[in-house]
Amino acid sequence: MEAITHQLALRLREGNFGRKKLPRYFQGGNLVRIKLPNTTASFSAAATTTPKLAQPIHASAGGDTTPVSSDPDTLTEMASHDPAIKDTRIAQISSAIRVIPDFPKPGIMFQDITTLLLDPKAFKDTIDLFVERYQDKKINVVAGIEARGFIFGPPIALAIGAKFVPMRKPKKLPGEVISEEYSLEYGTDVIEMHVGAVQDGERVLIIDDLIATGGTLGAAIRLIERVGGTVVECACVIELPELKGRARLGDKPLFVLVSST
């Protein structure tokens, strides 16, 4: 699916930087609030001169292949940190993703990947980067999280010769299901999959479009492990690292293409 500087610039342009109401992210129907840092920042021309336009996410700068993690017990690797991956592909993917301010409610920054889908090359590059990473990892199952995990999961599964398993919200699957509950900011939610979709000992890749607080991915990991599957890795197109979602994944590695900066 916003850079902190974009949020700060938005509030400066609107003249409401001092509002007590905290900005919120929108992910999978859930609202996630974060605090703005108490600091001043410089803004790019694009961020300060186009108040009515949604701004693209920017890819992380290239670097080495050292995993990035705020928790020693977790592992995150970003494609944009891997010199083996051409910067042009990551940059195009990043520029194809836009952030919609105040959608679907005021104060929410919505990560919009529909513009990525409108760019055939950027969309293909996104799928290709995942396929290149997992084609030799003996993945049996690609599990996609509702709903945007259903966009990226099936083409990856077909390309690497794996089956695709949808992980859905309650009462969406017609057969017998196994469920896992997880916590939200206020209350709880549930994720489900069909009984028998994942077999004991199968190697599973879990995919979604974005990781924010990590609650849904954490629930998906627990659900896979309850039926005897082995979670090889979690993969997302976008990470919002300031929300520290990877800390909820335990020791499972996370691979992302674009990280907000």
Side-chain angles (χ1 to χ4, degrees):
M1 272 139 21
E2 68 275 356
I4 289 296
T5 55
H6 291 166
Q7 300 166 35
L8 294 173
L10 179 63
R11 274 148 181 77
L12 286 173
R13 291 196 301 270
E14 294 176 345
N16 58 359
F17 182 77
R19 291 193 308 176
K20 292 183 179 180
K21 191 173 182 179
L22 296 177
R24 297 168 288 175
Y25 295 103
F26 183 77
Q27 181 198 17
N30 303 322
L31 301 183
V32 182
R33 293 180 176 84
I34 68 162
K35 287 187 177 181
L36 289 171
N38 184 20
T39 182
T40 57
S42 59
F43 310 108
S44 66
T48 57
T49 60
T50 55
K52 299 300 183 181
L53 296 179
Q55 302 298 325
I57 290 177
H58 297 289
S60 304
D64 58 29
T65 56
T66 304
V68 179
S69 177
S70 61
D71 185 327
D73 295 327
T74 62
L75 173 67
T76 302
E77 187 172 343
M78 283 179 277
S80 51
H81 286 175
D82 190 340
I85 297 175
K86 299 298 183 183
D87 289 344
T88 53
R89 289 197 291 178
I90 295 297
Q92 184 169 0
I93 292 167
S94 173
S95 64
I97 301 168
R98 65 179 175 177
V99 178
I100 305 291
D102 299 318
F103 178 83
K105 296 180 180 180
I108 295 173
M109 306 294 286
F110 184 83
Q111 307 294 315
D112 184 18
I113 54 92
T114 64
T115 46
L116 172 65
L117 306 180
L118 293 173
D119 185 333
K121 185 179 186 307
F123 188 20
K124 182 178 184 300
D125 285 344
T126 301
I127 301 301
D128 287 348
L129 285 167
F130 287 125
V131 170
E132 290 165 13
R133 181 171 181 83
Y134 298 114
Q135 61 188 352
D136 296 322
K137 292 188 181 293
K138 300 180 179 179
I139 303 293
N140 306 115
V141 180
V142 176
I145 295 176
E146 186 171 353
R148 290 176 287 274
F150 296 175
I151 296 173
F152 299 100
I156 295 169
L158 286 173
I160 66 176
K163 60 185 179 182
F164 177 76
V165 172
M167 307 190 81
R168 303 212 62 183
K169 296 175 182 178
K171 300 180 181 180
K172 296 292 186 180
L173 293 170
E176 183 182 359
V177 298
I178 179 171
S179 305
E180 182 70 27
E181 187 176 81
Y182 60 99
S183 299
L184 303 173
E185 185 182 14
Y186 300 107
T188 61
D189 207 343
V190 174
I191 190 171
E192 298 181 338
M193 71 177 181
H194 274 138
V195 171
V198 177
Q199 301 295 315
D200 185 32
E202 286 188 317
R203 293 170 56 81
V204 182
L205 167 67
I206 302 175
I207 188 154
D208 203 355
D209 68 320
L210 180 145
I211 177 170
T213 61
T216 311
L217 277 175
I221 291 170
R222 295 192 298 274
L223 198 54
I224 295 296
E225 292 183 334
R226 282 173 55 194
V227 299
T230 299
V231 177
V232 176
E233 194 159 83
C234 298
C236 296
V237 179
I238 308 164
E239 180 189 17
L240 305 177
E242 63 272 15
L243 298 182
K244 305 184 185 302
R246 59 189 134 170
R248 299 182 70 175
L249 307 185
D251 61 354
K252 297 299 182 289
L254 169 67
F255 177 70
V256 298
L257 299 184
V258 176
S259 179
S260 67
T261 55

